[in-house]
Amino acid sequence: MSISPLAPATFPDLPAIEGVTFAAASAGIKKADRTDVMLALLAPGTSVAGVFTRSATRSANVRDCQAKLAIVSEGPAAILVNSGNSNAFTGKRGDDSVDALCKAVTEICGIDPARVFTASTGVIGQRLPHEKIIAKLEELHANQGAANIGIAAKAIMTTDTFPKAAGETIMIDGAPVKIAGIAKGSGMIAPDMATMLVYIFTDAQIGQSDLQALVTAHTDRTFNCITVDSDTSTSDTLMIAATGATGVDVTDNADFTDALHSVMLDLAHQVVKDGEGATKFVTVKVTGASTDADAKTVGLAIANSPLVKTAIAGEDPNWGRVVMAVGKSGAAADRDKLTIHFGETLVAEEGWVAPSYTEEAGAAYMKQENIDINVDLGLGSGSSTIWTCDLTHQYITINADYRS
Amino acid sequence: MSISPLAPATFPDLPAIEGVTFAAASAGIKKADRTDVMLALLAPGTSVAGVFTRSATRSANVRDCQAKLAIVSEGPAAILVNSGNSNAFTGKRGDDSVDALCKAVTEICGIDPARVFTASTGVIGQRLPHEKIIAKLEELHANQGAANIGIAAKAIMTTDTFPKAAGETIMIDGAPVKIAGIAKGSGMIAPDMATMLVYIFTDAQIGQSDLQALVTAHTDRTFNCITVDSDTSTSDTLMIAATGATGVDVTDNADFTDALHSVMLDLAHQVVKDGEGATKFVTVKVTGASTDADAKTVGLAIANSPLVKTAIAGEDPNWGRVVMAVGKSGAAADRDKLTIHFGETLVAEEGWVAPSYTEEAGAAYMKQENIDINVDLGLGSGSSTIWTCDLTHQYITINADYRS
């Protein structure tokens, strides 16, 4: 698989987060020569929060993490992730695998099983060979290092074409506070792979419930605003760990919130840029809606429309399909109040193509790698921004021709 | 464009409906050598009912028809349809075109404008050259014939690869009652084409409000249960006209209801079979849901999933993607109560792949042209059936490479 044309030029320099160490290993879940397990250890007192898929068929690991986040503890914690097998739709055996993994981490690393958070990503419906992972735990424990986050980012990849990471360092009360995150995801579901994982670490100090509220709010404007193919994975997991090592309290701190949002948005954009078959990065901005919720509904209708996405793949300024998607969305809309711009180019207004618009201008705009579709509904002040990619032959090749 | 591999072998023999005549003409809206306008005239006393797109950006013609159906009239009626231009998103000019067309039909055919129902299908956002249609009205009026329904079916085609029609003759109280219908549609939206049109005619006698209730109820189980690409057109129109020429009252008649349902379902299936790029006809049957509405939600989530549709295109028995679609649908579901069959083959049950299932059996099943995906949720007695097609390279070619 060649690297996505939308991939960043280089892997970012990430700040080391005091209180967090990482290691990766090859357990033989994926191909023998690739790392496929990562273990992160978190210092005592770390606040851990998370956001998970709402799927009714979510994996055993997701259910286990959700239950554990409700437990308050000051002890050390661990995050154990494997790629190559999702442990989703594996019945009672899936629950047994999670329990076995947590028990082994407790034995080898001395961490309360209630503080061990696991995730599995890869093929659906095959038993997870958890004994292979357990056989690597001693090695993972021995090799822990604060600088190993890039190695961890690679170990959680499945069909990703590049490892995804983002970081920020900000000054709060004269002290540096650091945030570093890694993600994997390539389409909402890669071929048989159950999918997006995000881990973010910071040395800031913040209570668990404040951290949970913060990450929930910002997920709604970052990861919940990206779409590749409208499909939802059974394993989507986003976790954040605040070690408090700096002693800097960031509760209700606007600078920290902005920096966290920036890291989350950067990671979310990288997931879209590694979308299966993607050749264009598309920003759909909807303004003038009756409510923010309506704006998001319209934005998702445009971003998920196969006809809009194929038009972008074909570099076709097919604004009629944007009109269609607005109309079908179910949100309040009025044909004659709708204004559509492609980038700066006014395309349609007052229920009609704009007199100034030319197909040549539209076609020239569509040749860019970054496409902005701006829709103003002219009804109120609700707004939302959604990010997506185009729908190409390569998507069909990856997903239909997978076995051939 | 070659004919869909799923097209029926022959155009059906349709019964002539007393009280309805048809004519078609070439007005030059589409290519010069193709018919692109059809006029149907309906005898006095005909009940007319209809179901339309719910799009907020629906066309001027749709809005006009919706307003007119509320008017009770015993006079003759007319249906005028052009292909090649959808008159959608054409602003105030679109309303003017509809008014001009209705006025011209009144002058030439002597029909109250409140009883003239128009539809336009084709390119979005270009002014409808209604004067070209008006110039053909004398010819359309002069050439009316009861046997011309097949000619009418051809005149309303846009990117359809075959004309769509279905008919039934049933005996009620010893008298033959006939139903004949025509449809166009090829994907929810063909390239720039705004889309599905259906016209059904019968010589049965039934009041307008009863006819409306009947067609609304059966649309929910036929045309509202098909999906090609989850997109919704700005022009979808289904109209039914009951001339009453037989004098046979079919109010609350089960035989008539069954026959009408059969005609509607046959036409709906033909639209799916002409879905853009379709190579497989897929029936998704959901049972055991908490409610019928939940069953439909699950069925549509499966039928609209790009990952399920590409797997079918690739003849890949990828049941994990069906599990994913059930989970994301939002309907009540329990992993461990879910049972999935591909045709007669048990694939998954009790939260796990079925012990009897083999990939060879699944792969062999997927080679068929007609694919049945049967999902039982094991929760209640709600059920629904959805029909769709696969998502192929040809869909991308038609919709992305349209300009090249």
Side-chain angles (χ1 to χ4, degrees):
Chain A
M1 184 78 63
S2 58
I3 292 169
S4 167
L6 305 175
T10 56
F11 191 79
D13 263 335
L14 295 177
I17 309 295
E18 195 181 336
V20 191
T21 56
F22 304 87
S26 299
I29 312 281
K30 273 196 312 204
K31 287 179 199 148
D33 57 341
R34 283 192 50 185
T35 55
D36 51 14
V37 190
M38 84 97 178
L39 176 70
L41 296 181
L42 307 169
T46 298
S47 295
V48 181
V51 181
F52 302 89
T53 177
R54 296 193 189 102
S55 171
T57 54
R58 58 195 181 276
S59 71
N61 311 63
V62 166
R63 290 173 194 272
D64 185 63
C65 288
Q66 288 176 312
K68 287 176 177 173
L69 283 183
I71 301 166
V72 177
S73 165
E74 287 292 304
I79 297 173
L80 178 66
V81 183
N82 74 272
S83 54
N85 182 311
S86 76
N87 195 31
F89 213 68
T90 46
K92 180 68 176 61
R93 299 166 190 82
D95 302 320
D96 295 343
S97 289
V98 172
D99 290 343
L101 288 170
C102 293
K103 187 161 163 278
V105 171
T106 300
E107 283 167 9
I108 291 164
C109 308
I111 291 169
D112 180 354
R115 293 279 278 174
V116 181
F117 302 94
T118 68
S120 296
T121 177
V123 180
I124 291 178
Q126 296 185 9
R127 193 188 75 85
L128 178 66
H130 58 258
E131 63 284 355
K132 290 187 180 177
I133 299 170
I134 291 170
K136 290 286 171 179
L137 276 180
E138 293 277 12
E139 176 187 333
L140 287 163
H141 190 220
N143 292 344
Q144 289 289 311
N148 289 343
I149 189 168
I151 294 169
K154 283 206 185 81
I156 64 173
M157 289 168 63
T158 52
T159 54
D160 301 60
T161 73
F162 62 89
K164 298 164 188 71
E168 290 274 337
T169 301
I170 48 170
M171 297 302 289
I172 297 178
D173 300 337
V177 170
K178 297 160 184 167
I179 306 173
I182 59 175
K184 70 131 290 193
S186 174
M188 282 298 106
I189 300 237
D192 273 6
M193 302 291 167
T195 218
M196 193 179 73
L197 299 178
V198 185
Y199 294 97
I200 300 171
F201 306 92
T202 176
D203 50 15
Q205 186 174 312
I206 181 169
Q208 203 277 337
S209 61
D210 288 318
L211 186 64
Q212 182 66 54
L214 196 59
V215 76
T216 299
H218 288 272
T219 297
D220 269 350
R221 296 199 290 127
T222 55
F223 289 100
N224 284 347
C225 287
I226 62 171
T227 177
V228 170
D229 54 15
S230 83
D231 279 332
T232 307
S233 117
T234 47
S235 305
D236 283 346
T237 294
L238 180 152
M239 293 190 78
I240 181 165
T243 66
T246 55
V248 179
D249 189 336
V250 296
T251 312
D252 297 328
N253 183 290
D255 291 338
F256 179 78
T257 299
D258 287 350
L260 177 63
H261 183 83
S262 171
V263 167
M264 289 173 73
L265 193 61
D266 189 340
L267 291 171
H269 286 182
Q270 289 187 51
V271 171
V272 170
K273 286 176 177 174
D274 210 6
E276 290 168 350
T279 67
K280 306 273 188 189
F281 181 74
V282 184
T283 303
V284 179
K285 190 171 177 185
V286 179
T287 54
S290 299
T291 62
D292 287 349
D294 261 14
K296 192 167 181 177
T297 299
V298 169
L300 284 170
I302 295 168
N304 280 327
S305 162
L307 288 168
V308 171
K309 292 163 83 82
T310 49
I312 294 169
E315 302 188 336
D316 176 2
N318 197 322
W319 58 270
R321 294 184 183 172
V322 176
V323 173
M324 174 281 298
V326 172
K328 78 164 182 170
S329 72
D334 180 331
R335 183 193 70 187
D336 296 341
K337 290 184 177 163
L338 194 58
T339 306
I340 300 171
H341 286 80
F342 287 164
E344 302 286 313
T345 304
L346 175 63
V347 177
E349 61 179 352
E350 296 175 357
W352 183 251
V353 64
S356 61
Y357 176 72
T358 65
E359 282 288 293
E360 291 67 32
Y365 181 75
M366 284 292 160
K367 293 199 180 303
Q368 300 186 89
E369 191 169 273
N370 293 298
I371 301 293
D372 290 343
I373 298 177
N374 301 313
V375 173
D376 190 277
L377 298 177
L379 298 175
S381 59
S383 66
S384 183
T385 305
I386 304 289
W387 296 273
T388 191
C389 56
D390 52 344
L391 174 57
T392 66
H393 279 290
Q394 186 63 16
Y395 180 89
I396 306 285
T397 298
I398 293 170
N399 288 299
D401 307 343
Y402 182 49
R403 280 162 186 269
S404 52
Chain B
M1 184 78 64
S2 58
I3 292 168
S4 167
L6 306 175
T10 55
F11 191 81
D13 263 336
L14 295 177
I17 308 295
E18 196 179 338
V20 191
T21 56
F22 303 87
S26 300
I29 312 281
K30 275 196 311 203
K31 289 180 199 147
D33 56 340
R34 281 190 52 183
T35 54
D36 51 15
V37 191
M38 85 97 179
L39 178 68
L41 295 181
L42 307 169
T46 297
S47 295
V48 181
V51 181
F52 302 89
T53 178
R54 295 191 189 105
S55 171
T57 54
R58 57 195 182 276
S59 71
N61 311 64
V62 166
R63 290 172 194 273
D64 186 63
C65 286
Q66 287 177 311
K68 287 175 176 173
L69 282 184
I71 301 165
V72 177
S73 165
E74 287 292 305
I79 297 172
L80 177 67
V81 182
N82 73 273
S83 53
N85 182 310
S86 75
N87 195 31
F89 213 68
T90 47
K92 179 69 175 62
R93 299 166 191 81
D95 302 320
D96 295 343
S97 288
V98 173
D99 290 345
L101 288 170
C102 292
K103 188 162 164 276
V105 171
T106 299
E107 283 168 7
I108 291 163
C109 308
I111 291 169
D112 180 354
R115 293 278 278 173
V116 181
F117 302 94
T118 68
S120 295
T121 179
V123 181
I124 290 179
Q126 296 185 8
R127 193 188 75 86
L128 177 67
H130 58 257
E131 63 284 355
K132 290 186 181 178
I133 299 170
I134 292 170
K136 289 287 171 177
L137 277 179
E138 292 278 11
E139 176 187 332
L140 287 162
H141 191 218
N143 291 345
Q144 290 288 310
N148 288 343
I149 189 167
I151 293 169
K154 283 206 185 80
I156 64 175
M157 288 168 64
T158 53
T159 54
D160 301 60
T161 73
F162 61 90
K164 298 163 188 68
E168 290 272 339
T169 301
I170 47 170
M171 297 302 289
I172 296 178
D173 300 338
V177 169
K178 296 160 185 168
I179 306 173
I182 58 175
K184 72 133 286 195
S186 175
M188 282 299 106
I189 300 237
D192 273 5
M193 302 290 169
T195 219
M196 193 180 73
L197 299 178
V198 185
Y199 294 97
I200 301 170
F201 305 91
T202 175
D203 50 14
Q205 186 174 311
I206 180 169
Q208 201 278 337
S209 61
D210 288 318
L211 186 63
Q212 182 66 53
L214 195 59
V215 77
T216 299
H218 288 273
T219 297
D220 270 349
R221 295 199 290 127
T222 56
F223 289 99
N224 284 349
C225 287
I226 62 171
T227 178
V228 169
D229 53 16
S230 81
D231 280 331
T232 308
S233 119
T234 47
S235 304
D236 283 346
T237 295
L238 180 152
M239 293 190 75
I240 181 165
T243 66
T246 54
V248 178
D249 189 335
V250 295
T251 312
D252 296 327
N253 182 292
D255 291 338
F256 179 79
T257 299
D258 288 349
L260 176 62
H261 183 85
S262 170
V263 167
M264 290 172 73
L265 193 60
D266 189 340
L267 291 171
H269 286 182
Q270 290 186 51
V271 170
V272 170
K273 287 176 176 174
D274 209 6
E276 291 168 350
T279 67
K280 306 274 188 189
F281 181 74
V282 184
T283 303
V284 180
K285 190 170 178 187
V286 179
T287 54
S290 298
T291 62
D292 286 350
D294 261 14
K296 192 167 180 176
T297 299
V298 170
L300 284 170
I302 296 168
N304 280 326
S305 162
L307 289 169
V308 171
K309 293 163 82 83
T310 48
I312 295 169
E315 302 189 336
D316 176 2
N318 197 322
W319 58 271
R321 295 185 183 172
V322 176
V323 172
M324 174 281 299
V326 171
K328 77 162 182 170
S329 72
D334 180 332
R335 184 194 69 186
D336 297 340
K337 290 183 178 165
L338 194 58
T339 306
I340 300 171
H341 286 81
F342 287 164
E344 302 285 313
T345 305
L346 175 63
V347 177
E349 61 179 350
E350 295 174 0
W352 184 252
V353 62
S356 60
Y357 176 72
T358 65
E359 282 288 291
E360 293 65 34
Y365 181 74
M366 283 293 161
K367 293 198 181 304
Q368 299 185 89
E369 191 169 274
N370 292 299
I371 302 292
D372 290 342
I373 298 178
N374 301 313
V375 173
D376 189 277
L377 299 178
L379 298 176
S381 59
S383 67
S384 182
T385 304
I386 304 290
W387 296 273
T388 190
C389 56
D390 52 346
L391 173 56
T392 64
H393 280 289
Q394 186 63 17
Y395 179 89
I396 306 286
T397 299
I398 292 170
N399 287 298
D401 307 342
Y402 181 48
R403 280 163 186 267
S404 52

